[in-house]
Amino acid sequence: MADKVLLVKFGEIAMRGDNQYLFVNRLIQAIRRNLDPVGNYYVVREPGRLIVEDRGGEMDYDLVIPRVEPIFGLVALCPGLRLQEMSMDAIKEEALRHMQEMYGAKPMTFKVNARRSNKGFAVSSMELAADVGEYLLDHMPNLTVNVKTPDVVLNIEVRNRIYLYSKVIKTYGGLPYGSSGKGVSLLSGGIDSPVATWMMAKRGVEVEGVYFHSPPYTSEWAKQKVIDLAKRIADFTGEFKLYVVPFTDLQLYLLENVPHDKLTIHLKRAMMRAAEQIAVKDGAMSLITGESVGQVASQTMQGIYAINAVCHMPVLRPLAGMDKQEIINIGTKIGTYDISIRPYEDCCTIFVAKHPQIKPRLNVIEKIERKLTDLDKYLEEAVANAEVIEL
Ligand code: ATP
Ligand code: MG
């Protein structure tokens, strides 16, 4: 006899000594949070594994797997069986039933992989694999052994209980969400920043979004797009706080008071400063952007230098060294790309210079900014009037 369970493998964190306990707790919480709304599930610890069992009946993998898959820190999910007995006979019987149910009578190659971390079980891994392999060969004429490139690997794990599985679904890896401090992400409706936000979340950084909105120059559609992107990120993180900062007045002030070819740099500096104010308020220790070196005029080394100079916090730029296509590939995989490329109409391009300065000089930019006596006031107002959306 055996029960259907989901074996959950976690990676990197397994090596992290004392922290492991905390990290595993976070993973358990995340699994519970995603599964509690849909049934009566229970997460059991095994050394090096988490086992999800369904106490409400037979597990429905189509329901459970999509809800566990997005959790950061997990490396693989294996739908499998947990045996009710600790015996060789039980293993053989269930292994045979599993192979017949899953693969029927079609000709195929296989091998058995056994791991025994429970040394109280008398049979060694090697013997176990050999015995079960032989038993399967005797009972399933469609099988042949192939150790190097088998069609199917039947895994047997002897832990506190015995588990069998032959299907391994790779997940995203990374670190448990929230285990690496907090960062405020400058989230536009573009392709890049949602990917950057996701990448840092994957490294365990608790992320919040800040979107600078300039109605009527940027449309409600643009804002809705950012909200939809934030929702998509929340599918991975569980929750997401988005600040929508009204930037129209500040942007018009800059438009009037700085040379047009430097407008973008001044605007980006203002965005960084506003984001940092929010970060300080919320106890974050980093900013995150979707900048990629050389991608556009404001992302030359000189541009990044001039923008970065206003920041006191580290600015994380996970896309700095990536090509556009690499970024698009990730965006596609995580489901942000389709939202990002949704067309929408912005009614005006007065803020876009025809020939933006490609190599701004910091001292020139700072000199201009020293004359912008109202800039701080506009910044303060913008941050104070931010709309907070909890997703
Ligand atoms: P993206 O694809 O993320 O929009 P981009 O290729 O359009 O980036 P830029 O316009 O130079 O590049 O923006 C660089 C970064 O500045 C963005 O990745 C984002 O982090 C931030 N940013 C730009 N505009 C906004 C905005 N309106 N609100 C919030 N952040 C912004
Ligand atoms: Mg953009």
Side-chain angles (χ1 to χ4, degrees):
M1 291 286 280
D3 302 309
K4 281 188 176 179
V5 294
L6 185 69
L7 269 89
V8 176
K9 299 186 178 182
F10 42 90
E12 215 167 343
I13 65 167
M15 292 171 268
R16 284 239 193 152
D18 292 347
N19 280 334
Q20 202 204 7
Y21 193 79
L22 276 175
F23 284 7
V24 172
N25 273 346
R26 279 184 192 278
L27 294 178
I28 293 175
Q29 277 165 19
I31 295 171
R32 288 217 182 110
R33 193 194 53 217
N34 290 7
L35 289 182
D36 276 352
V38 293
N40 187 11
Y41 298 94
Y42 201 78
V43 184
V44 185
R45 280 168 199 263
E46 279 273 14
R49 296 271 185 277
L50 293 172
I51 312 297
V52 181
E53 60 178 57
D54 189 341
R55 296 208 166 163
E58 192 179 85
M59 177 168 279
D60 175 0
Y61 292 116
D62 293 338
L63 176 75
V64 169
I65 289 170
R67 288 181 161 261
V68 178
E69 210 171 12
I71 296 171
F72 295 131
L74 307 181
V75 295
L77 305 180
C78 316
L81 298 172
R82 179 178 57 197
L83 275 50
Q84 289 182 359
E85 277 170 53
M86 301 286 286
S87 74
M88 264 319 268
D89 284 349
I91 295 175
K92 286 178 183 167
E93 190 185 316
E94 290 303 331
L96 179 60
R97 196 203 311 266
H98 174 81
M99 292 299 282
Q100 283 171 336
E101 258 178 36
M102 295 280 286
Y103 309 104
K106 72 170 188 241
M108 54 188 277
T109 62
F110 85 115
K111 79 166 176 181
V112 179
N113 244 350
R115 287 167 78 133
R116 180 187 56 147
S117 57
N118 178 352
K119 304 290 181 219
F121 190 76
V123 187
S124 77
S125 308
M126 292 251 284
E127 288 171 74
L128 191 55
D131 271 19
V132 174
E134 216 180 281
Y135 185 80
L136 291 175
L137 284 172
D138 283 350
H139 290 81
M140 293 179 74
N142 56 314
L143 293 186
T144 42
V145 174
N146 179 338
V147 187
K148 279 202 177 131
T149 53
D151 298 325
V152 170
V153 178
L154 175 67
N155 293 279
I156 304 170
E157 297 192 359
V158 181
R159 298 175 181 273
N160 293 322
R161 304 279 295 271
I162 297 172
Y163 303 90
L164 297 181
Y165 60 92
S166 60
K167 216 169 131 190
V168 178
I169 301 159
K170 281 207 162 61
T171 53
Y172 296 102
L175 295 170
Y177 184 65
S179 62
S180 308
K182 198 191 244 192
V184 166
S185 184
L186 287 86
L187 186 62
S188 73
I191 293 168
D192 303 330
S193 46
V195 172
T197 310
W198 180 87
M199 284 179 72
M200 294 325 302
K202 174 159 119 69
R203 291 306 300 163
V205 178
E206 183 186 346
V207 286
E208 276 177 14
V210 178
Y211 167 58
F212 298 97
H213 188 41
S214 303
Y217 305 101
T218 48
S219 64
E220 277 307 301
W221 289 108
K223 177 179 164 186
Q224 188 56 46
K225 202 162 112 172
V226 177
I227 293 172
D228 290 345
L229 286 166
K231 272 191 199 144
R232 182 64 196 133
I233 292 165
D235 289 340
F236 292 91
T237 61
E239 54 194 7
F240 192 83
K241 185 176 182 182
L242 176 68
Y243 287 86
V244 178
V245 179
F247 238 37
T248 313
D249 293 348
L250 185 144
Q251 222 167 319
L252 289 170
Y253 174 72
L254 288 178
L255 182 67
E256 258 170 47
N257 293 285
V258 307
H260 205 55
D261 67 336
K262 298 181 180 59
L263 186 58
T264 302
I265 295 291
H266 285 285
L267 179 62
K268 287 275 149 66
R269 281 165 63 94
M271 286 183 184
M272 293 307 241
R273 291 173 63 191
E276 197 173 75
Q277 288 178 20
I278 289 169
V280 169
K281 191 166 65 72
D282 283 1
M285 285 192 282
S286 65
L287 302 175
I288 299 159
T289 75
E291 288 161 309
S292 166
V293 173
Q295 195 186 83
V296 293
S298 59
Q299 295 175 20
T300 59
M301 197 56 75
Q302 291 84 352
I304 290 175
Y305 183 78
I307 293 165
N308 196 76
V310 294
C311 300
H312 302 94
M313 286 184 188
V315 180
L316 307 176
R317 298 180 175 86
L319 313 186
M322 292 171 70
D323 296 343
K324 195 75 189 185
Q325 192 56 49
E326 295 176 87
I327 299 169
I328 289 173
N329 291 348
I330 298 175
T332 306
K333 189 177 76 174
I334 64 173
T336 56
Y337 180 69
D338 282 346
I339 305 170
S340 295
I341 58 168
R342 227 188 260 165
Y344 64 87
E345 277 169 49
D346 272 347
C347 51
C348 180
T349 50
I350 52 169
F351 299 109
V352 182
K354 256 214 187 87
H355 301 288
Q357 190 169 40
I358 288 170
K359 298 184 175 179
R361 297 213 343 247
L362 181 60
N363 59 345
V364 178
I365 298 289
E366 285 177 338
K367 197 170 153 195
I368 298 167
E369 246 173 50
R370 276 197 287 276
K371 293 184 194 144
L372 302 178
T373 44
D374 288 339
L375 184 59
D376 285 346
K377 188 194 80 183
Y378 280 113
L379 266 173
E380 232 168 77
E381 265 175 28
V383 172
N385 291 319
E387 175 192 359
V388 182
I389 302 174
E390 304 268 1
L391 297 159

